[in-house]
Amino acid sequence: MTTTTSPAHPIAPAALNSSRTISTATRVLRQLRHDPRTIAMLILIPCVMLFLLRYVFDGSPRTFNSIGASLLGIFPLITMFLVTSIATLRERTSGTLERLLAMPLGKGDLIAGYALAFGALAIIQSTLATGLAVWFLDLDVTGSPWLLLLVALLDALLGTALGLFVSAFAASEFQAVQFMPAVIFPQLLLCGLFTPRDNMHPVLEAISDVLPMSYAVDGMNEVLHHTDMTAAFVRDALIVAGCALLVLGLGAATLRRRTA
């Protein structure tokens, strides 16, 4: 008697497919809709932090103007990193990701769908934070607020990409949070927020040159001090966007099933 065997797992398509990507993004947004705490954290926390910062320096508005633009990019990056890494880990531990990978769904489609869903929230988050800082907290910027918004959005997308990437290496939500000191804190210390990068030890300055948050802060400072879009601003924005795409690609490459 002849028997036939079928592969244990269907082979997922390699190429990106827009319909599969949009379907994944829609599913993620539908789930987030039933999690108001996550939505509140994504949208409100950067605004609350900027509001607190403004009145911490109530007697020194010049200090708020000097660091407010930088933090306008850093806060969305941090919150998107935390929420994305935890939400993706939750999908892994609940078995949802396992079932999705057993379907004819490419890894690229899955990662792109997550990035698209969280990117939509990042647009809302960055728009609210930028509007609050510029029009309600009187953040004084020389350049266009739209350029400020662009960098804030790119930073939020970078945080999303980093969160998706590190979730592949965590076994629990607690471990996902533990990645924050390793991935975010060194960038925060070396990005030029506390002291100009060229004043650092040469070794630390060289390390800061390869960290994407450094260029996020540099891009914000370009908008803060220049009326028009500068070549340095374009370079910084392209580097942040390129890093986000690179990390998303690495996230797709490291995506794997938990069981055999």
Side-chain angles (χ1 to χ4, degrees):
M1 181 174 64
T2 303
T3 59
T4 59
T5 59
S6 58
H9 307 299
I11 300 176
L16 279 173
N17 179 279
S18 59
S19 63
R20 292 193 296 261
T21 298
I22 293 174
S23 177
T24 301
T26 303
R27 181 189 62 80
V28 173
L29 289 173
R30 190 180 301 119
Q31 288 182 331
L32 287 173
R33 186 182 63 185
H34 300 292
D35 190 354
R37 287 177 298 181
T38 297
I39 294 176
M41 180 178 179
L42 278 171
I43 295 176
L44 297 181
I45 283 186
C47 294
V48 172
M49 297 300 290
L50 285 168
F51 185 85
L52 290 175
L53 184 71
R54 167 62 181 85
Y55 290 103
V56 164
F57 295 109
D58 189 38
S60 180
R62 183 177 298 179
T63 303
F64 175 72
N65 287 330
S66 66
I67 66 173
S70 298
L71 291 175
L72 180 60
I74 292 173
F75 287 155
L77 190 156
I78 293 174
T79 55
M80 293 304 296
F81 172 84
L82 279 173
V83 172
T84 305
S85 59
I86 292 173
T88 309
L89 221 294
R90 193 176 298 163
E91 297 256 277
R92 292 178 185 275
T93 55
S94 67
T96 301
L97 191 61
E98 186 82 5
R99 292 191 295 271
L100 289 173
L101 289 176
M103 298 170 61
L105 181 70
K107 292 181 179 180
D109 296 318
L110 193 62
I111 291 294
Y114 275 87
L116 185 61
F118 284 105
L121 293 174
I123 292 174
I124 300 173
Q125 178 197 71
S126 301
T127 301
L128 289 176
T130 303
L132 175 70
V134 174
W135 287 296
F136 290 93
L137 299 181
D138 298 324
L139 179 66
D140 186 15
V141 293
T142 303
S144 169
W146 295 106
L147 295 180
L148 212 61
L149 173 61
L150 174 62
V151 181
L153 177 58
L154 290 175
D155 292 344
L157 293 176
L158 176 62
T160 298
L162 290 170
L164 288 170
F165 176 65
V166 303
S167 68
F169 304 98
S172 66
E173 294 179 18
F174 179 67
Q175 286 187 6
V177 174
Q178 286 180 312
F179 273 104
M180 185 173 173
V183 176
I184 300 297
F185 286 178
Q187 296 193 67
L188 186 62
L189 292 173
L190 299 178
C191 68
L193 176 65
F194 301 104
T195 185
R197 292 194 290 128
D198 54 8
N199 290 344
M200 298 178 185
H201 187 280
V203 173
L204 295 181
E205 183 182 359
I207 294 174
S208 74
D209 287 341
V210 299
L211 298 177
M213 192 183 290
S214 299
Y215 298 95
V217 171
D218 287 350
M220 287 295 192
N221 287 332
E222 286 293 312
V223 180
L224 192 65
H225 297 112
H226 297 88
T227 305
D228 300 321
M229 182 187 299
T230 64
F233 173 85
V234 174
R235 178 206 63 192
D236 295 333
L238 289 176
I239 289 175
V240 174
C243 288
L245 291 175
L246 175 62
V247 175
L248 284 176
L250 292 173
T254 56
L255 190 65
R256 63 188 185 277
R257 296 174 60 90
R258 288 295 187 185
T259 59

